[in-house]
Amino acid sequence: MRERDGTSLGHLAERTAVLMLHGRSVPVLAGFDLDFKSYSWADALARAGYDVFMMDLQGSGLSPRPKMDDPRNVNPAQQHLLKPRPPGFTPGPPNYPFQLTNSNSDRDDLNAVVDWIIRERGVEKVAFIGWSAAAFTMGPYAVKNPGKVSSLFLLAPIFPPEGTSNAPDPLPQPGFPTFVSTKGGTWDGWGSEVHCEGQREDEMRDQVWDAIMASDPVGSTWGPVGEGRNRIRNFVRWGWNKTTAGQGGVLGGSVPVLIAYGESDRQVNTSSEDPEFNFSVPALYNAIAGNHKLMVKLDCAGHSLVWEMQHKNVHNLSKHWLKHLKVDGKTQGIFDMNTNGDISPAP
């Protein structure tokens, strides 16, 4: 966990704590605290007076990665990407033939950090900001623990409206602990959602990858020298769907919710026949039972909008949300945001 303390000495009793959580494949520091130009979202919030905490779940970033240091525990279909081979590595079946973490362990990790923040910083609740697959952890946690969560800002949330509510049996689930990704494949994947001139800077290819590698001391030594491989934990998820999102009217009730996503994001809105991979942001908005809910779609933005032209507008949107819990003076509704940061009701 990293903290950026934005509370001035004269306002310690009024401090507001914000906790930021990463998605599936990008460590928290590369996503939220990128030390390049104006891209650090955490810095923007700290400068606005918030105490900002960023955490990596087990298996991600600088948190412990049990079983992931063994290259044999990489997805067998991806072991060919480990060239030149790490010392002593011979491709084959995983030595630990299970997925690494699950929804319960992720929520336990989150709870440990939330309790620490509340205790050490003397706050009653913590405001959540989560990107992408963070929704699987932060959403259900807020439903079960509304007394600890003041608000929920979900950026590009992954949400399967018909996903399963129940844990699979047995746990751990068979599989492997680790996926890997390459620098070129990662950049090209983001590029499939770039449709506007100036949507992303070419410099971001190196800046983001170098930040990911800085959070992966082992993966950075795999693959081609000077490039490395991004190690991505394999986890089992459940308990985040239209039933659980609306449970008890908590989300949008005692926990106000703001959802933001890019118009070109094809990772959050899919059409898979598999209900576990059929995702929809509008379905999440509709599933939230309370009335204090807002949704903003950003022009010229994809799933990686934290590193795109709209990043400053996202920073400003979150600062306004944390202070007022409103968008355009309203506590409910669907809006569009252009690249100048102007907000208007969706047609």
Side-chain angles (χ1 to χ4, degrees), residues 22-78:
H22 59 86
R24 171 182 173 269
S25 61
V26 177
V28 73
L29 299 185
F32 292 129
D33 203 14
L34 186 67
D35 186 17
F36 181 66
K37 295 184 177 179
S38 59
Y39 286 95
S40 174
W41 190 351
D43 183 62
L45 292 178
R47 289 177 182 274
Y50 297 99
D51 277 7
V52 184
F53 299 85
M54 296 159 276
M55 67 171 290
D56 279 313
L57 294 167
Q58 181 177 227
S60 181
L62 296 174
S63 285
R65 301 195 191 208
K67 308 299 183 181
M68 293 178 69
D69 290 355
D70 182 353
R72 274 288 288 269
N73 287 333
V74 169
N75 179 0
Q78 294 183 314

Short mmCIF file of all heavy atoms in Angstrom, two decimals, residues 22-78:
data_model
loop_
_atom_site.label_atom_id
_atom_site.label_comp_id
_atom_site.label_asym_id
_atom_site.label_seq_id
_atom_site.Cartn_x
_atom_site.Cartn_y
_atom_site.Cartn_z
N HIS A 22 -6.77 -1.34 -8.04
CA HIS A 22 -6.47 -1.65 -9.44
C HIS A 22 -7.44 -2.65 -10.04
O HIS A 22 -8.26 -3.25 -9.34
CB HIS A 22 -5.06 -2.22 -9.52
CG HIS A 22 -4.90 -3.47 -8.70
ND1 HIS A 22 -5.20 -4.73 -9.17
CD2 HIS A 22 -4.48 -3.66 -7.41
CE1 HIS A 22 -4.97 -5.63 -8.24
NE2 HIS A 22 -4.54 -5.01 -7.14
N GLY A 23 -7.29 -2.87 -11.34
CA GLY A 23 -8.07 -3.87 -12.04
C GLY A 23 -7.32 -5.19 -12.17
O GLY A 23 -6.48 -5.54 -11.34
N ARG A 24 -7.59 -5.92 -13.23
CA ARG A 24 -7.05 -7.27 -13.38
C ARG A 24 -5.56 -7.29 -13.68
O ARG A 24 -4.81 -8.05 -13.07
CB ARG A 24 -7.80 -8.00 -14.50
CG ARG A 24 -7.19 -9.35 -14.90
CD ARG A 24 -7.95 -9.99 -16.03
NE ARG A 24 -7.29 -11.21 -16.52
CZ ARG A 24 -6.40 -11.22 -17.50
NH1 ARG A 24 -6.06 -10.08 -18.11
NH2 ARG A 24 -5.84 -12.36 -17.89
N SER A 25 -5.09 -6.45 -14.62
CA SER A 25 -3.76 -6.66 -15.18
C SER A 25 -2.75 -5.56 -14.89
O SER A 25 -1.57 -5.73 -15.21
CB SER A 25 -3.86 -6.84 -16.70
OG SER A 25 -4.41 -5.69 -17.31
N VAL A 26 -3.17 -4.44 -14.30
CA VAL A 26 -2.26 -3.31 -14.09
C VAL A 26 -2.10 -3.06 -12.60
O VAL A 26 -3.08 -2.80 -11.91
CB VAL A 26 -2.80 -2.04 -14.79
CG1 VAL A 26 -1.88 -0.86 -14.50
CG2 VAL A 26 -2.93 -2.27 -16.28
N PRO A 27 -0.87 -3.09 -12.06
CA PRO A 27 -0.65 -2.78 -10.65
C PRO A 27 -1.12 -1.37 -10.31
O PRO A 27 -1.19 -0.49 -11.17
CB PRO A 27 0.87 -2.91 -10.49
CG PRO A 27 1.31 -3.76 -11.64
CD PRO A 27 0.37 -3.45 -12.76
N VAL A 28 -1.42 -1.16 -9.04
CA VAL A 28 -2.07 0.09 -8.64
C VAL A 28 -1.20 1.32 -8.90
O VAL A 28 -1.72 2.37 -9.29
CB VAL A 28 -2.50 0.00 -7.16
CG1 VAL A 28 -1.31 0.10 -6.22
CG2 VAL A 28 -3.54 1.06 -6.84
N LEU A 29 0.11 1.22 -8.70
CA LEU A 29 0.95 2.41 -8.87
C LEU A 29 1.05 2.82 -10.34
O LEU A 29 1.07 4.01 -10.65
CB LEU A 29 2.34 2.17 -8.28
CG LEU A 29 2.37 1.87 -6.78
CD1 LEU A 29 3.81 1.75 -6.29
CD2 LEU A 29 1.63 2.94 -5.99
N ALA A 30 1.13 1.86 -11.23
CA ALA A 30 1.17 2.19 -12.66
C ALA A 30 -0.15 2.80 -13.12
O ALA A 30 -0.18 3.67 -14.00
CB ALA A 30 1.49 0.94 -13.48
N GLY A 31 -1.25 2.35 -12.52
CA GLY A 31 -2.55 2.85 -12.94
C GLY A 31 -2.92 4.19 -12.33
O GLY A 31 -3.45 5.06 -13.02
N PHE A 32 -2.60 4.38 -11.05
CA PHE A 32 -3.10 5.55 -10.33
C PHE A 32 -2.04 6.55 -9.91
O PHE A 32 -2.36 7.66 -9.48
CB PHE A 32 -3.87 5.11 -9.08
CG PHE A 32 -5.15 4.38 -9.36
CD1 PHE A 32 -5.42 3.16 -8.76
CD2 PHE A 32 -6.10 4.93 -10.21
CE1 PHE A 32 -6.62 2.50 -9.01
CE2 PHE A 32 -7.30 4.27 -10.47
CZ PHE A 32 -7.56 3.06 -9.87
N ASP A 33 -0.77 6.16 -9.98
CA ASP A 33 0.28 7.07 -9.49
C ASP A 33 1.44 7.12 -10.47
O ASP A 33 2.61 7.11 -10.08
CB ASP A 33 0.77 6.61 -8.10
CG ASP A 33 1.42 7.73 -7.31
OD1 ASP A 33 1.26 8.91 -7.70
OD2 ASP A 33 2.08 7.44 -6.31
N LEU A 34 1.12 7.21 -11.74
CA LEU A 34 2.15 7.25 -12.78
C LEU A 34 2.91 8.57 -12.71
O LEU A 34 2.33 9.65 -12.84
CB LEU A 34 1.50 7.08 -14.16
CG LEU A 34 2.48 6.96 -15.33
CD1 LEU A 34 3.28 5.66 -15.24
CD2 LEU A 34 1.74 7.03 -16.67
N ASP A 35 4.21 8.49 -12.52
CA ASP A 35 5.05 9.68 -12.37
C ASP A 35 5.46 10.22 -13.73
O ASP A 35 6.61 10.11 -14.16
CB ASP A 35 6.28 9.34 -11.52
CG ASP A 35 7.12 10.57 -11.21
OD1 ASP A 35 6.60 11.70 -11.35
OD2 ASP A 35 8.29 10.40 -10.83
N PHE A 36 4.48 10.79 -14.44
CA PHE A 36 4.73 11.34 -15.78
C PHE A 36 3.69 12.41 -16.07
O PHE A 36 2.49 12.16 -16.02
CB PHE A 36 4.65 10.23 -16.83
CG PHE A 36 4.90 10.69 -18.23
CD1 PHE A 36 6.15 11.17 -18.60
CD2 PHE A 36 3.89 10.66 -19.18
CE1 PHE A 36 6.39 11.59 -19.91
CE2 PHE A 36 4.11 11.07 -20.48
CZ PHE A 36 5.37 11.55 -20.84
N LYS A 37 4.18 13.62 -16.31
CA LYS A 37 3.31 14.75 -16.62
C LYS A 37 2.18 14.85 -15.58
O LYS A 37 2.44 14.88 -14.39
CB LYS A 37 2.79 14.66 -18.05
CG LYS A 37 3.89 14.77 -19.10
CD LYS A 37 3.33 14.76 -20.51
CE LYS A 37 4.43 14.94 -21.55
NZ LYS A 37 3.92 14.91 -22.94
N SER A 38 0.94 14.88 -16.04
CA SER A 38 -0.19 15.08 -15.13
C SER A 38 -0.99 13.80 -14.92
O SER A 38 -2.14 13.84 -14.50
CB SER A 38 -1.13 16.15 -15.70
OG SER A 38 -1.60 15.78 -16.99
N TYR A 39 -0.37 12.64 -15.16
CA TYR A 39 -1.13 11.39 -15.18
C TYR A 39 -1.37 10.77 -13.81
O TYR A 39 -2.12 9.79 -13.71
CB TYR A 39 -0.45 10.37 -16.10
CG TYR A 39 -0.63 10.69 -17.56
CD1 TYR A 39 0.34 11.40 -18.26
CD2 TYR A 39 -1.79 10.32 -18.24
CE1 TYR A 39 0.18 11.71 -19.61
CE2 TYR A 39 -1.97 10.63 -19.59
CZ TYR A 39 -0.97 11.32 -20.26
OH TYR A 39 -1.14 11.64 -21.59
N SER A 40 -0.73 11.27 -12.76
CA SER A 40 -0.96 10.67 -11.44
C SER A 40 -2.29 11.14 -10.87
O SER A 40 -2.43 12.28 -10.41
CB SER A 40 0.17 11.03 -10.47
OG SER A 40 -0.15 10.56 -9.17
N TRP A 41 -3.24 10.26 -10.87
CA TRP A 41 -4.57 10.55 -10.31
C TRP A 41 -4.47 10.73 -8.80
O TRP A 41 -5.08 11.62 -8.21
CB TRP A 41 -5.50 9.39 -10.66
CG TRP A 41 -6.95 9.59 -10.39
CD1 TRP A 41 -7.55 10.60 -9.71
CD2 TRP A 41 -8.01 8.71 -10.80
NE1 TRP A 41 -8.92 10.42 -9.68
CE2 TRP A 41 -9.22 9.27 -10.34
CE3 TRP A 41 -8.05 7.50 -11.51
CZ2 TRP A 41 -10.45 8.65 -10.55
CZ3 TRP A 41 -9.28 6.90 -11.73
CH2 TRP A 41 -10.47 7.46 -11.26
N ALA A 42 -3.66 9.89 -8.17
CA ALA A 42 -3.49 9.99 -6.71
C ALA A 42 -2.91 11.34 -6.31
O ALA A 42 -3.33 11.95 -5.31
CB ALA A 42 -2.59 8.86 -6.22
N ASP A 43 -1.95 11.83 -7.06
CA ASP A 43 -1.35 13.12 -6.76
C ASP A 43 -2.38 14.24 -6.91
O ASP A 43 -2.43 15.16 -6.10
CB ASP A 43 -0.16 13.37 -7.68
CG ASP A 43 0.55 14.67 -7.38
OD1 ASP A 43 1.07 14.82 -6.26
OD2 ASP A 43 0.56 15.56 -8.26
N ALA A 44 -3.21 14.15 -7.96
CA ALA A 44 -4.24 15.17 -8.16
C ALA A 44 -5.20 15.22 -6.98
O ALA A 44 -5.60 16.31 -6.53
CB ALA A 44 -5.00 14.89 -9.46
N LEU A 45 -5.57 14.06 -6.44
CA LEU A 45 -6.48 14.03 -5.29
C LEU A 45 -5.79 14.52 -4.03
O LEU A 45 -6.39 15.24 -3.22
CB LEU A 45 -7.00 12.61 -5.08
CG LEU A 45 -7.95 12.07 -6.16
CD1 LEU A 45 -8.35 10.63 -5.84
CD2 LEU A 45 -9.19 12.94 -6.30
N ALA A 46 -4.53 14.15 -3.84
CA ALA A 46 -3.80 14.61 -2.65
C ALA A 46 -3.66 16.13 -2.67
O ALA A 46 -3.80 16.79 -1.63
CB ALA A 46 -2.44 13.93 -2.58
N ARG A 47 -3.37 16.69 -3.83
CA ARG A 47 -3.24 18.15 -3.95
C ARG A 47 -4.57 18.85 -3.66
O ARG A 47 -4.59 20.02 -3.29
CB ARG A 47 -2.73 18.52 -5.34
CG ARG A 47 -1.27 18.15 -5.57
CD ARG A 47 -0.83 18.47 -6.98
NE ARG A 47 0.55 18.09 -7.22
CZ ARG A 47 1.61 18.86 -6.95
NH1 ARG A 47 1.40 20.08 -6.42
NH2 ARG A 47 2.83 18.44 -7.18
N ALA A 48 -5.66 18.12 -3.85
CA ALA A 48 -6.99 18.68 -3.55
C ALA A 48 -7.36 18.51 -2.08
O ALA A 48 -8.46 18.91 -1.68
CB ALA A 48 -8.04 18.02 -4.44
N GLY A 49 -6.46 17.91 -1.29
CA GLY A 49 -6.69 17.82 0.14
C GLY A 49 -7.14 16.49 0.67
O GLY A 49 -7.54 16.39 1.85
N TYR A 50 -7.06 15.43 -0.15
CA TYR A 50 -7.51 14.11 0.29
C TYR A 50 -6.33 13.24 0.70
O TYR A 50 -5.23 13.35 0.13
CB TYR A 50 -8.31 13.42 -0.81
CG TYR A 50 -9.57 14.17 -1.17
CD1 TYR A 50 -9.63 15.00 -2.28
CD2 TYR A 50 -10.70 14.07 -0.36
CE1 TYR A 50 -10.78 15.72 -2.60
CE2 TYR A 50 -11.85 14.77 -0.67
CZ TYR A 50 -11.88 15.60 -1.78
OH TYR A 50 -13.02 16.32 -2.07
N ASP A 51 -6.55 12.38 1.69
CA ASP A 51 -5.58 11.35 2.03
C ASP A 51 -5.83 10.16 1.12
O ASP A 51 -6.89 9.52 1.20
CB ASP A 51 -5.74 10.91 3.49
CG ASP A 51 -5.03 11.83 4.45
OD1 ASP A 51 -4.53 12.88 4.00
OD2 ASP A 51 -4.98 11.53 5.65
N VAL A 52 -4.88 9.87 0.26
CA VAL A 52 -5.08 8.87 -0.78
C VAL A 52 -4.24 7.63 -0.49
O VAL A 52 -3.02 7.71 -0.30
CB VAL A 52 -4.70 9.44 -2.15
CG1 VAL A 52 -5.00 8.42 -3.25
CG2 VAL A 52 -5.45 10.75 -2.42
N PHE A 53 -4.90 6.48 -0.46
CA PHE A 53 -4.24 5.21 -0.26
C PHE A 53 -4.43 4.36 -1.51
O PHE A 53 -5.52 4.35 -2.09
CB PHE A 53 -4.82 4.48 0.96
CG PHE A 53 -4.64 5.23 2.25
CD1 PHE A 53 -5.55 6.21 2.63
CD2 PHE A 53 -3.57 4.96 3.08
CE1 PHE A 53 -5.40 6.91 3.81
CE2 PHE A 53 -3.40 5.65 4.27
CZ PHE A 53 -4.32 6.64 4.63
N MET A 54 -3.38 3.65 -1.90
CA MET A 54 -3.43 2.77 -3.06
C MET A 54 -2.95 1.39 -2.64
O MET A 54 -1.91 1.26 -2.01
CB MET A 54 -2.54 3.30 -4.18
CG MET A 54 -2.98 4.65 -4.73
SD MET A 54 -1.61 5.51 -5.57
CE MET A 54 -0.80 6.29 -4.17
N MET A 55 -3.71 0.35 -2.97
CA MET A 55 -3.34 -1.00 -2.55
C MET A 55 -3.28 -1.97 -3.73
O MET A 55 -4.05 -1.86 -4.69
CB MET A 55 -4.32 -1.54 -1.51
CG MET A 55 -5.72 -1.79 -2.02
SD MET A 55 -6.78 -2.68 -0.82
CE MET A 55 -6.05 -4.33 -0.84
N ASP A 56 -2.33 -2.89 -3.64
CA ASP A 56 -2.27 -4.04 -4.55
C ASP A 56 -2.79 -5.26 -3.82
O ASP A 56 -2.35 -5.57 -2.70
CB ASP A 56 -0.82 -4.32 -4.98
CG ASP A 56 -0.34 -3.43 -6.10
OD1 ASP A 56 -1.08 -3.27 -7.08
OD2 ASP A 56 0.79 -2.90 -6.00
N LEU A 57 -3.74 -5.95 -4.42
CA LEU A 57 -4.19 -7.23 -3.87
C LEU A 57 -3.08 -8.27 -3.97
O LEU A 57 -2.13 -8.12 -4.75
CB LEU A 57 -5.42 -7.72 -4.65
CG LEU A 57 -6.69 -6.88 -4.52
CD1 LEU A 57 -7.71 -7.29 -5.57
CD2 LEU A 57 -7.29 -7.01 -3.12
N GLN A 58 -3.19 -9.31 -3.18
CA GLN A 58 -2.23 -10.41 -3.28
C GLN A 58 -2.17 -10.91 -4.72
O GLN A 58 -3.19 -11.11 -5.37
CB GLN A 58 -2.66 -11.56 -2.36
CG GLN A 58 -1.71 -12.73 -2.39
CD GLN A 58 -2.11 -13.83 -1.43
OE1 GLN A 58 -1.30 -14.36 -0.69
NE2 GLN A 58 -3.39 -14.19 -1.44
N GLY A 59 -0.95 -11.06 -5.23
CA GLY A 59 -0.77 -11.52 -6.60
C GLY A 59 -0.58 -10.40 -7.59
O GLY A 59 -0.39 -10.65 -8.78
N SER A 60 -0.61 -9.15 -7.11
CA SER A 60 -0.47 -8.02 -8.02
C SER A 60 0.55 -7.03 -7.47
O SER A 60 0.67 -6.84 -6.25
CB SER A 60 -1.81 -7.31 -8.20
OG SER A 60 -1.70 -6.22 -9.10
N GLY A 61 1.27 -6.39 -8.38
CA GLY A 61 2.16 -5.30 -8.01
C GLY A 61 3.19 -5.69 -6.97
O GLY A 61 3.83 -6.75 -7.04
N LEU A 62 3.36 -4.83 -5.97
CA LEU A 62 4.38 -5.03 -4.95
C LEU A 62 3.89 -5.85 -3.76
O LEU A 62 4.64 -6.04 -2.79
CB LEU A 62 4.92 -3.68 -4.48
CG LEU A 62 5.65 -2.88 -5.57
CD1 LEU A 62 6.02 -1.49 -5.06
CD2 LEU A 62 6.89 -3.62 -6.05
N SER A 63 2.64 -6.31 -3.81
CA SER A 63 2.16 -7.23 -2.77
C SER A 63 2.73 -8.63 -3.01
O SER A 63 3.24 -8.93 -4.09
CB SER A 63 0.63 -7.27 -2.77
OG SER A 63 0.10 -6.10 -2.20
N PRO A 64 2.67 -9.51 -2.01
CA PRO A 64 3.19 -10.87 -2.20
C PRO A 64 2.52 -11.57 -3.38
O PRO A 64 1.33 -11.38 -3.64
CB PRO A 64 2.82 -11.57 -0.87
CG PRO A 64 2.72 -10.46 0.12
CD PRO A 64 2.17 -9.29 -0.63
N ARG A 65 3.32 -12.35 -4.09
CA ARG A 65 2.81 -13.11 -5.25
C ARG A 65 3.15 -14.59 -5.06
O ARG A 65 4.00 -15.14 -5.78
CB ARG A 65 3.43 -12.59 -6.55
CG ARG A 65 3.15 -11.12 -6.83
CD ARG A 65 3.47 -10.82 -8.28
NE ARG A 65 3.49 -9.41 -8.59
CZ ARG A 65 3.21 -8.90 -9.80
NH1 ARG A 65 2.88 -9.72 -10.78
NH2 ARG A 65 3.27 -7.61 -10.02
N PRO A 66 2.52 -15.26 -4.11
CA PRO A 66 2.85 -16.66 -3.86
C PRO A 66 2.61 -17.51 -5.11
O PRO A 66 1.64 -17.32 -5.83
CB PRO A 66 1.90 -17.05 -2.73
CG PRO A 66 0.79 -16.05 -2.78
CD PRO A 66 1.42 -14.78 -3.25
N LYS A 67 3.53 -18.43 -5.35
CA LYS A 67 3.48 -19.38 -6.46
C LYS A 67 3.78 -18.74 -7.82
O LYS A 67 3.97 -19.44 -8.80
CB LYS A 67 2.12 -20.10 -6.54
CG LYS A 67 1.65 -20.75 -5.25
CD LYS A 67 2.60 -21.82 -4.77
CE LYS A 67 2.08 -22.50 -3.52
NZ LYS A 67 3.03 -23.53 -3.02
N MET A 68 3.82 -17.41 -7.90
CA MET A 68 3.96 -16.75 -9.20
C MET A 68 5.41 -16.58 -9.63
O MET A 68 5.68 -16.26 -10.79
CB MET A 68 3.25 -15.39 -9.18
CG MET A 68 1.74 -15.50 -9.05
SD MET A 68 0.89 -13.89 -8.98
CE MET A 68 1.13 -13.27 -10.65
N ASP A 69 6.37 -16.78 -8.71
CA ASP A 69 7.78 -16.66 -9.09
C ASP A 69 8.26 -17.85 -9.90
O ASP A 69 9.29 -17.78 -10.56
CB ASP A 69 8.65 -16.51 -7.84
CG ASP A 69 8.47 -15.16 -7.16
OD1 ASP A 69 7.74 -14.31 -7.71
OD2 ASP A 69 9.05 -14.97 -6.06
N ASP A 70 7.52 -18.95 -9.83
CA ASP A 70 7.87 -20.17 -10.56
C ASP A 70 7.33 -20.05 -11.99
O ASP A 70 6.11 -20.04 -12.20
CB ASP A 70 7.25 -21.37 -9.86
CG ASP A 70 7.60 -22.69 -10.52
OD1 ASP A 70 8.22 -22.69 -11.60
OD2 ASP A 70 7.22 -23.75 -9.95
N PRO A 71 8.20 -19.98 -13.01
CA PRO A 71 7.70 -19.84 -14.39
C PRO A 71 6.88 -21.03 -14.85
O PRO A 71 6.09 -20.91 -15.79
CB PRO A 71 8.98 -19.69 -15.22
CG PRO A 71 10.08 -20.19 -14.35
CD PRO A 71 9.66 -19.96 -12.94
N ARG A 72 7.01 -22.18 -14.20
CA ARG A 72 6.18 -23.32 -14.56
C ARG A 72 4.72 -23.10 -14.19
O ARG A 72 3.83 -23.80 -14.69
CB ARG A 72 6.71 -24.59 -13.86
CG ARG A 72 7.80 -25.31 -14.60
CD ARG A 72 7.31 -26.05 -15.85
NE ARG A 72 6.53 -27.21 -15.50
CZ ARG A 72 7.04 -28.42 -15.34
NH1 ARG A 72 8.35 -28.63 -15.49
NH2 ARG A 72 6.27 -29.44 -15.05
N ASN A 73 4.45 -22.11 -13.32
CA ASN A 73 3.07 -21.81 -12.94
C ASN A 73 2.42 -20.78 -13.85
O ASN A 73 1.31 -20.33 -13.58
CB ASN A 73 3.02 -21.35 -11.48
CG ASN A 73 3.23 -22.50 -10.52
OD1 ASN A 73 2.93 -23.65 -10.85
ND2 ASN A 73 3.75 -22.20 -9.33
N VAL A 74 3.10 -20.42 -14.94
CA VAL A 74 2.50 -19.60 -15.97
C VAL A 74 1.57 -20.46 -16.82
O VAL A 74 1.83 -21.66 -17.04
CB VAL A 74 3.60 -18.96 -16.85
CG1 VAL A 74 3.02 -18.31 -18.11
CG2 VAL A 74 4.39 -17.93 -16.05
N ASN A 75 0.49 -19.88 -17.28
CA ASN A 75 -0.43 -20.54 -18.21
C ASN A 75 0.38 -21.32 -19.26
O ASN A 75 1.18 -20.73 -19.99
CB ASN A 75 -1.28 -19.47 -18.89
CG ASN A 75 -2.25 -20.02 -19.90
OD1 ASN A 75 -2.33 -21.23 -20.12
ND2 ASN A 75 -3.00 -19.13 -20.53
N PRO A 76 0.21 -22.64 -19.34
CA PRO A 76 0.99 -23.41 -20.31
C PRO A 76 0.87 -22.90 -21.73
O PRO A 76 1.84 -23.01 -22.51
CB PRO A 76 0.39 -24.82 -20.18
CG PRO A 76 -0.09 -24.89 -18.76
CD PRO A 76 -0.62 -23.50 -18.46
N ALA A 77 -0.28 -22.31 -22.08
CA ALA A 77 -0.45 -21.78 -23.44
C ALA A 77 0.37 -20.52 -23.67
O ALA A 77 0.50 -20.07 -24.81
CB ALA A 77 -1.93 -21.49 -23.70
N GLN A 78 0.92 -19.93 -22.60
CA GLN A 78 1.72 -18.71 -22.73
C GLN A 78 3.19 -18.91 -22.40
O GLN A 78 3.97 -17.97 -22.49
CB GLN A 78 1.15 -17.62 -21.81
CG GLN A 78 -0.24 -17.14 -22.18
CD GLN A 78 -0.69 -16.00 -21.28
OE1 GLN A 78 -0.54 -16.08 -20.06
NE2 GLN A 78 -1.23 -14.96 -21.87
#
